[in-house]
Amino acid sequence: MKILSLVGARPQFIKEALLNSTVHHKKAWKHVLVHSGQHYDINMSDVFFQELGIPKPAHYLDIGSCSHAVMTASVLVAVEKILIEEKPDALLVYGDTNTTLAGALAAVKIHVPIIHIEAGIRMLPKTMPEEINRVLTDHVSSLLCCCSELGRQNLEKEDIRHGVEVTGDIMYDLFLRMQPRFTVEKTCTKYGLVPEKFVLATLHRDYNVDSPVILRKLLEGLNSIQKEQGFTLFFPLHPRTRRRIAEFGLEHLLQNLLIAPPLGYLELMSLMCASAFAVTDSGGLQKEAFYANKRCIVMMPDTGWRELIDCGWNILCDPTQDSIAEAVESILTSAEHPGAIYGDGQAVGRTIQKIITAFSP
Ligand code: UD1
């Protein structure tokens, strides 16, 4: 059996790392890796391949940064060619990026079945590019692997019942396996951070960073956490966010924050484990905070990881000073860890088994 696996952005490299090594270890199938090049900077792409030991992709599409339409169309055309050449039994895609949707469209049109990892996530606003990508991908997929029961329920509401499996979250598996490699003390020292005395913050969503008004409010909010609570604000900057800050003339709001380039997986997780709490609009990081036993303020109007909000561990927050202050106050109170929500750390084995059952010729 041959499976083509398509990645392009940071959260996908992370999941692919564990799936790829487990597939090779189990000799489960011939695994052909394709990298769209949606993320291409050394610290947005190469660092994950190096530190997580992901093999060099068999195909690199070199798409780079461009508009949604150009990116989606370019990946669509390129992946179709590869699918025709490689003739895989299925195409595997992750999450909700433009790369995901383009791959799914290329495959479904030429009758290559699609495996969607992290299926069934739904959130507002419905117009957000990632929501469009994930909904459309789910509707053309043959095997839909959900991180939790909620994903299955969301799919059922849209009448998607066939091929749906609750497998758990591969990111949780990876977190558990990589934990012995986290270098908490060393990484804190490298960035001049005192354990438990800093907040780990990241922002990159279009609706947060593409508006000068909202971005200003968010940066002011981070500054107020620093000023009022005395925490160091450690803020690794996504290239999109860095560019917008410069474009909107907001650099002065970085003066009291500790900024850094985007971090690799091992450093980021090491710092997550040492932080007081996290502030983020990243889907992956809000779950990783939970895996590290840290609470998280989620700077989004809604999240696909609803369970973490409903149990009170994470807090949804609006981009205003008052909401941020209120969320910080609440996050500093103690909360009981709700226990396992996204599987038992065996999601990757379960996913591989489901793929073999579904697509073995
Ligand atoms: C993308 C995904 C999002 C995911 C995120 C993870 C879509 C629509 N969004 O968002 O779901 O959470 O990746 O990080 O696919 N850039 C660089 N160097 C890079 C990559 C990006 O400078 O290596 C800059 C470019 O200016 C680019 C911008 O970042 O235009 C945005 O990149 P893009 O891949 O379009 O979206 P992300 O915000 O990264």
Side-chain angles (χ1 to χ4, degrees):
M1 179 167 76
K2 190 198 263 192
I3 302 290
L4 204 94
S5 183
L6 176 65
V7 296
R10 293 196 294 175
Q12 300 166 339
F13 307 144
I14 292 168
K15 283 161 235 168
E16 172 67 21
L18 186 58
L19 188 100
N20 195 304
S21 65
T22 316
V23 165
H24 282 111
H25 180 71
K26 291 184 183 235
K27 298 191 173 51
W29 57 70
K30 184 170 167 34
H31 196 74
V32 180
L33 181 59
V34 183
H35 184 340
S36 71
Q38 177 172 348
H39 285 176
Y40 47 85
D41 284 344
I42 289 173
N43 53 16
M44 296 287 283
S45 175
D46 298 24
V47 64
F48 300 98
F49 281 75
Q50 283 156 15
E51 66 178 13
L52 300 176
I54 310 171
K56 196 170 176 285
H59 303 268
Y60 183 72
L61 311 182
D62 201 12
I63 294 305
S65 294
C66 36
S67 71
H68 285 282
V70 173
M71 192 187 286
T72 311
S74 311
V75 177
L76 179 65
V77 172
V79 170
E80 185 189 51
K81 263 193 208 130
I82 297 169
L83 288 169
I84 291 168
E85 184 189 316
E86 293 277 1
K87 298 186 182 50
D89 294 286
L91 172 76
L92 187 148
V93 292
Y94 298 91
D96 57 19
T97 67
N98 291 339
T99 296
T100 310
L101 175 63
L105 285 177
V108 72
K109 294 278 181 161
I110 54 171
H111 310 295
V112 174
I114 299 152
I115 304 156
H116 189 199
I117 308 286
E118 226 175 57
I121 300 300
R122 292 293 179 270
M123 71 178 90
L124 299 171
K126 288 285 164 204
T127 50
M128 165 185 183
E130 288 81 3
E131 181 68 6
I132 296 162
N133 293 343
R134 66 174 80 93
V135 171
L136 295 177
T137 302
D138 279 340
H139 278 263
V140 294
S141 292
S142 298
L143 178 61
L144 300 98
C145 298
C146 304
C147 294
S148 71
E149 183 55 29
L150 181 62
R152 197 190 57 73
Q153 290 165 9
N154 288 338
L155 293 170
E156 201 171 84
K157 283 186 200 145
E158 293 171 20
D159 218 16
I160 303 174
R161 293 187 174 82
H162 189 71
V164 178
E165 303 286 351
V166 178
T167 45
D169 182 15
I170 293 178
M171 279 175 82
Y172 181 42
D173 300 20
L174 183 72
F175 183 90
L176 294 176
R177 284 182 217 184
M178 289 292 153
Q179 219 165 11
R181 287 179 59 195
F182 298 167
T183 49
V184 176
E185 248 173 73
K186 191 174 145 211
T187 314
C188 282
T189 308
K190 175 175 170 185
Y191 291 101
L193 294 163
V194 180
E196 306 292 332
K197 300 279 183 228
F198 70 94
V199 174
L200 177 58
T202 76
L203 296 170
H204 76 278
R205 292 279 160 213
D206 58 353
Y207 53 71
N208 278 335
V209 306
D210 289 355
S211 150
V213 177
I214 294 177
L215 186 54
R216 170 187 286 276
K217 284 187 182 164
L218 285 166
L219 294 176
E220 285 169 354
L222 296 184
N223 275 277
S224 68
I225 301 176
Q226 186 266 329
K227 212 152 75 204
E228 275 150 41
Q229 303 289 344
F231 289 111
T232 302
L233 257 294
F234 183 70
F235 189 34
L237 280 179
H238 186 291
R240 176 189 199 120
T241 312
R242 180 182 287 277
R243 208 159 296 158
R244 292 296 186 228
I245 289 171
E247 204 178 306
F248 302 149
L250 299 173
E251 289 100 332
H252 59 286
L253 291 171
L254 295 179
Q255 270 164 15
N256 296 320
L257 312 180
L258 187 54
I259 58 163
L263 264 47
Y265 179 79
L266 295 173
E267 282 199 337
L268 191 63
M269 288 307 104
S270 300
L271 292 183
M272 177 59 86
C273 292
S275 68
F277 60 90
V279 177
T280 192
D281 61 8
S282 153
L285 210 62
Q286 57 192 275
K287 269 186 296 158
E288 285 163 336
F290 167 66
Y291 300 149
N293 203 15
K294 299 294 172 180
R295 299 184 70 196
C296 180
I297 298 176
V298 179
M299 298 303 317
M300 300 170 85
D302 190 15
T303 172
W305 312 110
R306 261 316 323 169
E307 299 95 337
L308 294 175
I309 305 297
D310 293 345
C311 71
W313 186 258
N314 285 353
I315 297 173
L316 280 180
C317 184
D318 295 329
T320 65
Q321 288 266 20
D322 286 354
S323 300
I324 294 172
E326 210 177 292
V328 171
E329 212 155 284
S330 161
I331 214 102
L332 289 173
T333 60
S334 65
E336 204 180 317
H337 193 276
I341 292 180
Y342 301 114
D344 54 3
Q346 304 298 327
V348 75
R350 215 170 283 124
T351 303
I352 288 173
Q353 202 44 55
K354 297 292 176 196
I355 294 173
I356 292 172
T357 308
F359 300 108
S360 246

